[in-house]
Amino acid sequence: MDLEQLFIKNKEQSIAGRYLTLDAIEPLLNKLNTNNQLSIIGQSVLEKPIYKYQIGEGKIKILLWSQMHGNESTTTKALFDFLNLLHDGSDFADKLLNTFTFCCIPMLNPDGAALYTRENANKVDLNRDSQNLSQPESVVLRAVFEAFRPDFCYNLHDQRTIFGVGDTGKPATLSFLAPSYNEEREVNATRMKAINLIAAMNERLQAYIPGQIGRFDDSFNINCIGDTFQYLGVPTVLFEAGHFQEDYQREETRKYVFMALVLSFSILSENDIVVNRIDNYMRIPQNNIVFYDFIYKNVKINYDGIEKITNFASQFKEELVEGDICFNAYIVEIGDLSGRWGHCEYDAKGAHFEAVYGNVPIINEKADFYLGENCKFVNGLIKN
């Protein structure tokens, strides 16, 4: 199976970038609604429809939901690419549709998607609401879970650019987790199924993104939806779509999420998760917060009349401005920065720092400055 060509063939060209709203996906859902697969299962706080798309006639039932956090759109894009695959008429698509029944909620939090926020319109993190069920979106997801009675749950998210794979200096382009079901983080039969699936996915994905797959922290929090569903006896896999080199729009990462989805269903259809792979799972390096978007090394500053050499870092904030996501870089740390990497790194080689506010970087200031007389940086990047 040529996963690269499969992605190219089925990539949904009408959606791209980081800002993905209900308005963008409703036409796609209607286009895919070829046999009454689409239904409205509830409303958000602001009374936007929450859609369910169910397709397939197989015995293995898969529940997938995306954009529980409104500003995490990468997995939503990949989910539509996968739905296109299910409609491509291939033998592989037929096999999947005969093996599985897929129940998809492609945008659980349409209000947060429109506002480009993690929370919903009531400023509640839906991924901390699995016990209280205080929000309409949480109630919808739980109702679908109970009615559909899935065999596996796929909890689809994005993670920030700050995460790397262990201490390797590589970004965590994809990360996975088999959530804990109790405080002791024990492994029962349910969690073992999720562990085995992740270990098998990782083994095959290493051919495409070697060294760029992490294992998310498994601290138990019953308020998190994945922990709750695992506790309730359904194997649950957390997907975290992260940074790929120079891919701030997450179009490359989108491809790898698509590949992971396809591989996971191939593995399940082959019944290839029966072997105990916990050692393989635990060997996946854990995610660590080790990255900044920019690091500037060996910078000369003048601090109270004393010249010294230091390093500093800046980080993008993703800000919604008139319907577009703007990546605005701000200075976030000054100092040694040992054990940290930058997605972009610059060696100033002792050049002086200078900005409109002075000759020392200041935390939370925009990353607009000079290193030396002629090397100008605007929004973190060298401006030629």
Side-chain angles (χ1 to χ4, degrees), residues 12-243:
E12 178 51 58
Q13 299 292 339
S14 68
I15 52 176
R18 299 294 290 276
Y19 188 48
L20 190 60
T21 66
L22 188 63
D23 288 343
I25 70 166
E26 277 183 319
L28 302 180
L29 290 169
N30 290 323
K31 181 183 71 173
L32 291 166
N33 190 26
T34 55
N35 192 26
N36 296 318
Q37 301 102 327
L38 186 65
S39 59
I40 294 174
I41 51 174
Q43 290 185 326
S44 66
V45 171
L46 300 180
E47 300 184 348
K48 297 294 184 182
I50 299 173
Y51 289 97
K52 178 186 78 173
Y53 186 86
Q54 187 166 318
I55 187 170
E57 299 177 348
K59 292 182 179 180
I60 305 174
K61 295 190 289 185
I62 309 290
L63 174 61
L64 312 94
W65 64 95
S66 185
Q67 266 177 286
M68 167 176 270
H69 295 143
N71 60 352
E72 298 179 2
S73 59
T74 306
T75 53
T76 306
K77 294 184 293 187
L79 184 55
F80 276 100
D81 302 333
F82 177 70
L83 292 177
N84 283 347
L85 183 158
L86 295 179
H87 283 268
D88 73 3
S90 65
D91 291 342
F92 181 59
D94 289 342
K95 178 183 178 182
L96 292 177
L97 293 170
N98 289 324
T99 304
F100 299 99
T101 299
F102 299 101
C103 179
C104 310
I105 304 174
M107 188 175 284
L108 182 65
N109 182 6
D111 300 340
L115 296 168
Y116 201 70
T117 59
R118 179 181 174 89
E119 300 85 6
N120 73 347
N122 285 335
K123 300 188 182 302
V124 172
D125 184 338
L126 300 178
N127 202 27
R128 300 295 183 271
D129 192 42
S130 69
Q131 294 299 300
N132 292 335
L133 298 177
S134 67
Q135 302 303 302
E137 301 91 345
S138 306
V139 172
V140 165
L141 178 58
R142 184 60 173 268
V144 170
F145 173 83
E146 292 179 350
F148 184 61
R149 302 182 68 180
D151 296 296
F152 286 87
C153 288
Y154 284 52
N155 187 9
L156 306 175
H157 287 266
D158 276 47
Q159 64 184 0
R160 296 174 59 198
T161 61
I162 59 177
F163 288 102
V165 177
D167 58 0
T168 65
K170 291 188 175 184
T173 301
L174 290 182
S175 296
F176 299 104
L177 174 68
S180 299
Y181 74 94
N182 63 7
E183 290 282 358
E184 293 74 26
R185 310 185 198 185
E186 293 174 318
V187 177
N188 59 2
T190 298
R191 192 179 181 205
M192 182 63 79
K193 288 182 179 179
I195 283 171
N196 288 344
L197 178 56
I198 291 169
M201 278 196 291
N202 174 65
E203 183 178 290
R204 300 191 191 188
L205 284 166
Q206 288 295 332
Y208 300 93
I209 41 172
Q212 291 184 216
I213 299 172
R215 177 169 48 87
F216 210 74
D217 174 59
D218 67 349
S219 299
F220 178 69
N221 184 347
I222 194 61
N223 297 305
C224 294
I225 195 68
D227 302 52
T228 292
F229 287 173
Q230 201 91 283
Y231 170 80
L232 292 172
V234 178
T236 300
V237 176
L238 172 71
F239 280 57
E240 292 281 354
H243 186 66

Side-chain angles (χ1 to χ4, degrees), residues 4 15 23 84 110 123 150 253 268 322 363:
E4 292 273 359
I15 52 176
D23 288 343
N84 283 347
K123 300 188 182 302
T253 301
L268 289 175
E322 297 181 352
I363 301 294

